[in-house]
């Protein structure tokens, strides 16, 4: 938890939920990651910035980046290539997931196309047609 991977020229908001990436090893035996969720701003991070209204501005901008789960561990070095190794058959992007669960409730039903790749908390939100409560910080 808390590890970071900085990318260049990779549109994280366009990444499909459940999409898999191989990093580094061109033979596909290195690090493999799966797109899981967008970052959702929290009070702790906003506290570091000490800027009133930051969470709402972050949400309104709707460029959250994404969390990735490690499917297969491996070594990553600066400059390693990132390749898509699996693309799911739906159109739910990290950006759509973020907007639907934070600021655009009307998009929630679209998330069910990716149900197999969503965590139980997100599926429950969709079924209740609720969004995440964003902190006011």
């Amino acid at each position: 938890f808390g590890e970071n991977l900085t990318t260049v020229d990779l549109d994280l908001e366009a990444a499909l939920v459940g999409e898999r990436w191989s990093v580094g090893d061109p033979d596909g035996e290195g690090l493999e990651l799966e797109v899981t969720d967008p970052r959702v701003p929290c009070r702790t991070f906003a506290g570091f910035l000490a800027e009133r209204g930051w969470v709402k501005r972050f949400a309104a901008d709707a460029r959250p980046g994404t969390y990735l789960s490690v499917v297969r561990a491996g070594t990553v070095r600066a400059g390693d290539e990132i390749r898509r190794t699996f693309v799911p058959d739906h159109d739910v992007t990290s950006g759509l997931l973020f907007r639907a669960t934070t600021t655009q409730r009307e998009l929630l039903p679209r998330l069910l196309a990716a149900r197999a790749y969503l965590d139980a908390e997100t599926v429950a939100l969709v079924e209740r047609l609720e969004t995440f409560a964003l902190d006011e910080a």
Side-chain angles (χ1 to χ4, degrees):
F1 179 76
E3 299 296 323
N4 292 300
L5 183 64
T6 301
T7 62
V8 176
D9 296 329
L10 185 61
D11 185 355
L12 299 175
E13 285 68 51
L16 297 172
V17 175
E19 180 174 310
R20 289 191 177 188
W21 303 344
S22 176
V23 183
D25 184 0
D27 297 323
E29 298 301 319
L31 176 66
E32 186 175 22
L33 303 169
E34 182 173 308
V35 175
T36 58
D37 298 292
R39 291 178 310 194
V40 176
C42 66
R43 182 174 301 280
T44 302
F45 189 69
F48 287 125
L49 297 175
E51 191 176 318
R52 186 156 179 76
W54 180 85
V55 170
K56 284 188 177 189
R57 282 194 311 281
F58 181 97
D61 195 39
R63 292 184 307 123
T66 188
Y67 286 116
L68 304 159
S69 66
V70 176
V71 176
R72 184 180 53 244
T75 301
V76 177
R77 292 175 189 83
D80 279 351
E81 181 182 358
I82 299 173
R83 293 171 311 285
R84 292 168 111 184
T85 58
F86 173 75
V87 179
D89 188 22
H90 64 72
D91 66 349
V92 179
T93 64
S94 183
L96 172 63
L97 179 55
F98 179 80
R99 290 189 314 279
T101 57
T102 58
T103 61
Q104 294 178 291
R105 181 182 310 208
E106 67 276 9
L107 297 175
L108 284 168
R110 289 186 54 194
L111 301 183
L112 292 178
R115 183 183 198 118
Y117 303 98
L118 300 175
D119 60 63
E121 180 183 10
T122 302
V123 171
L125 278 176
V126 172
E127 290 173 344
R128 293 189 313 264
L129 293 177
E130 293 179 2
T131 58
F132 288 115
L134 297 176
D135 291 333
E136 293 295 320

